[in-house]
Every structure is written in C-alpha cells, then in structure tokens.
Amino acid sequence: MQGSTTSAPAVKSKAGAVFRVTSGNFLEQFDFFLFGFYATQIAAAFFPASNEFASLMMTFAVFGAGFLMRPLGAVILGAYIDDVGRRKGLIVTLSIMASGTLLIVLVPGYASIGLWAPALVLLGRLLQGFSAGAELGGVSVYLAEMATPGRKGFYASWQSASQQVAIVVAAALGYALNQWMAPVDIAAWGWRIPFAVGCVIIPFIFLLRRSLAETEAFQARTHRPTMKAVFRTLLDDASIVILGMLMVAMTTTAFYLITVYAPTFGKSVLQLSTADALMVTLLVGVSNFFWLPIGGMLSDRFGRKTLLAAMSLLAAITAYPALSYLAQQPSFAHMLKVLLWLSFLYGIYNGAMIPALTEIMPVEVRVAGFSLAYSLATAVFGGFTPAISTWLIHITGDKAAPAYWMIFAAICAFCATLVLYRRLRLGAPVPA
C-alpha cells in the first residue's frame, strides 16, 4: 500500500481522482437506499409485529438509529482523517462501512434466530452510521482540496452526485427484480440480492481507494491537531458547527424524502405499483445527478449565499402545494413531476451547500467540523425523515404531511444561511 506521501501528480487525471474518492459514497448510499426501499420486506424478516404500521416503524427506527452514530464517527474518524491524511482515513471508513453492509446481508431472519436477528441488523446499521459520519466529510474535503482555482463548487458537488449514481443503480436492480421474480419470492429472499451485489463490489472499491493520492493541501500543512485539540477547536467554534448543521438540514431532509422514502411513499401511501415507484425514484436519481454539478458551478459564479437562500426559500413555499397536488391526484406522471421539482431544489441547493460547508470550517479541523455538522443534521433531520413522514401521515390523515417536515428544515436552512453569511461575510465565491 502506498503511503500518504504520494503526490497529487500520481493521480492520472482529476476525473480519475474524483472517481476513486467518491466510490465509497456510492457503496454507502447504495445500501441506504436499498434499506429504505425494501423496508416492508426487512420489517417482515427482522421486525415482525402485530400490524404493518408498527413493524414498519421499528424498521425505520433502526434505519434512523444508524444516523445517531454519525456525530460520534464524525468527531472520532474526522479527527483521525485530519491527523493521518485524507487517503488513509478514507480507507478506514470504507472498511468499517463494508463490515456493516456484510453483516446486514448475512443475518438470518427473525424466524431462524429470534431476537438476535434485529439486534445484528441494528449493529450493522450502527457500524454503517459510525463510518458514514466521516465518509462524507472526508470525501467532500478531498474534492475541495484537489479542485482547480475557481471551481471548488463544481468539484465538491461530485460527492453528492456519486450518491445519485447509487440511487439509479439500486433502483434499476429493484426494477429488474420486480420484473423477473414473483412478489412472494422477493419478500422471502429476493430482496437480499441487491444487498449481495453491493458486497460483491466492495473489493473493487478498496482497490480504487488504495490508489488515491494524498491532497497537496494536506501535505503542505505543518501542524496536525491532536484529538484533544480537535475537541477544543470544535467547542470553540460550536456556533459555526450548529449553523452549518441547520444549513445541511435542507439537504439531508430533501434527499431522504425524494429518494429513500419515495418508493415506500409511492407504494404504501399513494398505492402506486412497485414498478412505478421504482421508476420514479430512478429518474429522480438521474435528475439529482444532473442538477448537482450545475448547482456547484452556479455557486462558483454567483456565490454560495445567493443559491442557498433562494432554494431554501422556494422549498419552504412550494413543498406543501406540490405534495398536496400529488396526494389528491396520485399517478405515476404526477409523482414524477412533483419529485423532479423537489429534485431541482435539492440539486441546486446541495451543489452550493457542500463547498460552502468546507469553506466555513477551521482548516485544521476541516474534516471533523464538516462531518460533525453534516452528521448532526442527518441524525436530527434527514435520517428520521422516513419515520417522521410515516408518523405525520398516520396522526394527521394527510398524505401530504411529509411536506411539513421539509418546510421546517427549509426554514432552518434559510435562517442559518442568512445568519452565517452575515457573520462570516462569505457571500462571494471563496478562492480555491
């Protein structure tokens, strides 16, 4: 294995470096999406209960529990990456993530091993969450540090764009299974096939990560903080982390609403076919992939603040009318139309948000600070979006109720953006 002293010119091209570093993001989101889409089958296999609502809520609670580990992973693994380097740290996060994925795939059902089944699935999700706490931050900072001058937004946006490829591939696999297998077979064991595919590609992703070069920005640093120093710096800059968390709230809530929760929403709430729900999600992933780099480029041109404020305000104004229109007239075409609109808002916003978050954090704890803000937002907002959406619909009887949660997140993001940029005066693009 090459050491962290590998120079940036060793990477054949910028595109190659982007592909290598974002490969782990693909695996993470691939597995997370599958967990959300096959929530009904997972609930039956590991969390049997007296009624479908209770079983599904337990499944989504375990799904959300993984996000509670993210802040811990953000601080511990984020500090490790800030100390040893982006390359070595990202290999460690991938190892932990792969362990959690393998565990979930191999666990027998509740009928075979009883309570051990949900306990081991929970352990797998906790491992995934701990790893993901620093994975996103490590990848985003790597991309920002390797970016050419004036194009930091464009390069950093590929962190999220890689996740959309995972959504498309996972949705395509699910669609194919739905065409080739009977529903009873999918429920019994077929749902494990896409997870197994994720496990098969793990060795390939390890090879990609091992060939990464360390960033020149990290190599140029003469001071690397200890874990104690990282904690002290994060505490001293707690207000920046909290404002960053609120800024991420819009991203993480919108993303899990239009991707992970969307198939369940389409099938269970709107009563659309499995094939229609999967196809909508696949097309949303393509849409996200298209808009994210555009959002990054626009933020390089016009500034982060402008896009962040405009998109979060648009989301707060339009989320409920859009979902209410869909709930009143559920159909494949209407679901696609509404989710593509939300995809546009998410893509442009997140394309600007990722580089903004790398810029506002103190350079010596850039990975830890970014990861902590992102992880807290995912734990508080995004990770529990499927569970909260299910609960809101249940208690209100309003099929458009998930919009309330997105509106709240968008308002938090809008206010945080205004306060943050007033304090930091970073409304204009920051030089790379």
Side-chain angles (χ1 to χ4, degrees), residues 1-4 6 81 84-92 142 209-215:
M1 184 183 296
Q2 283 181 300
S4 60
T6 305
I81 295 173
V84 305
R86 316 314 187 201
R87 175 185 173 277
K88 284 185 176 179
L90 287 172
I91 291 174
V92 171
Y142 187 98
R209 278 279 167 94
R210 289 184 61 181
S211 64
L212 274 177
E214 186 54 81
T215 65

Side-chain angles (χ1 to χ4, degrees), residues 110-383:
Y110 183 91
S112 299
I113 60 173
L115 291 176
W116 281 105
L120 289 173
V121 170
L122 175 61
L123 176 60
R125 287 290 299 133
L126 294 179
L127 287 172
Q128 289 177 329
F130 183 73
S131 166
E135 170 75 15
L136 291 178
V139 170
S140 299
V141 169
Y142 187 98
L143 292 171
E145 290 182 349
M146 63 160 278
T148 52
R151 304 194 70 192
K152 186 181 293 185
F154 173 72
Y155 274 88
S157 68
W158 288 101
Q159 178 266 108
S160 295
S162 67
Q163 297 180 340
Q164 312 315 312
V165 178
I167 296 297
V168 171
V169 173
L173 274 173
Y175 184 85
L177 282 180
N178 187 67
Q179 299 300 310
W180 297 336
M181 298 181 65
V184 64
D185 292 328
I186 294 176
W189 58 271
W191 64 268
R192 293 181 185 264
I193 294 176
F195 285 93
V197 171
C199 293
V200 170
I201 66 175
I202 288 174
F204 176 66
I205 296 176
F206 266 108
L207 291 176
L208 291 176
R209 278 279 167 94
R210 289 184 61 181
S211 64
L212 274 177
E214 186 54 81
T215 65
E216 292 181 348
F218 180 82
Q219 289 178 317
R221 287 170 50 190
T222 57
H223 173 68
R224 297 173 186 177
T226 63
M227 184 74 73
K228 183 177 180 180
V230 169
F231 289 150
R232 187 184 309 115
T233 302
L234 291 176
L235 285 174
D236 291 342
D237 293 297
S239 61
I240 299 296
V241 173
I242 292 172
L243 287 170
M245 175 197 75
L246 294 175
M247 196 166 67
V248 179
M250 161 81 175
T251 278
T252 187
T253 300
F255 177 74
Y256 283 98
L257 181 66
I258 66 177
T259 57
V260 174
Y261 179 64
T264 299
F265 181 71
K267 292 183 300 179
S268 302
V269 180
L270 303 180
Q271 302 301 312
L272 300 181
S273 70
T274 298
D276 282 352
L278 271 172
M279 184 54 65
V280 168
T281 307
L282 188 154
L283 294 173
V284 165
V286 173
S287 174
N288 291 345
F289 184 83
F290 174 78
W291 289 117
L292 282 161
I294 292 177
M297 288 189 291
L298 290 175
S299 74
D300 287 332
R301 176 67 178 84
F302 300 106
R304 322 294 185 211
K305 177 185 175 182
T306 302
L307 266 67
L308 294 174
M311 293 300 106
S312 56
L313 185 59
L314 267 176
I317 294 172
T318 64
Y320 187 80
L323 285 180
S324 181
Y325 162 76
L326 174 59
Q328 292 171 14
Q329 305 178 58
S331 70
F332 171 83
H334 291 166
M335 184 177 181
L336 179 61
K337 186 187 303 182
V338 168
L339 264 62
L340 287 181
W341 168 248
L342 298 180
S343 167
F344 164 74
L345 297 177
Y346 158 78
I348 299 297
Y349 181 89
N350 198 51
M353 192 280 299
I354 293 295
L357 199 59
T358 67
E359 292 164 350
I360 67 175
M361 294 300 166
V363 63
E364 65 274 12
V365 293
R366 183 173 284 163
V367 175
F370 181 109
S371 300
L372 183 57
Y374 207 108
S375 298
L376 287 171
T378 307
V380 175
F381 291 90

Side-chain angles (χ1 to χ4, degrees), residues 53 265 269-270 320 324 327-328 388-402 404:
F53 169 73
F265 181 71
V269 180
L270 303 180
Y320 187 80
S324 181
Q328 292 171 14
I388 290 173
S389 297
T390 301
W391 177 73
L392 284 172
I393 293 171
H394 182 72
I395 65 168
T396 65
D398 183 358
K399 295 179 180 179
Y404 301 143

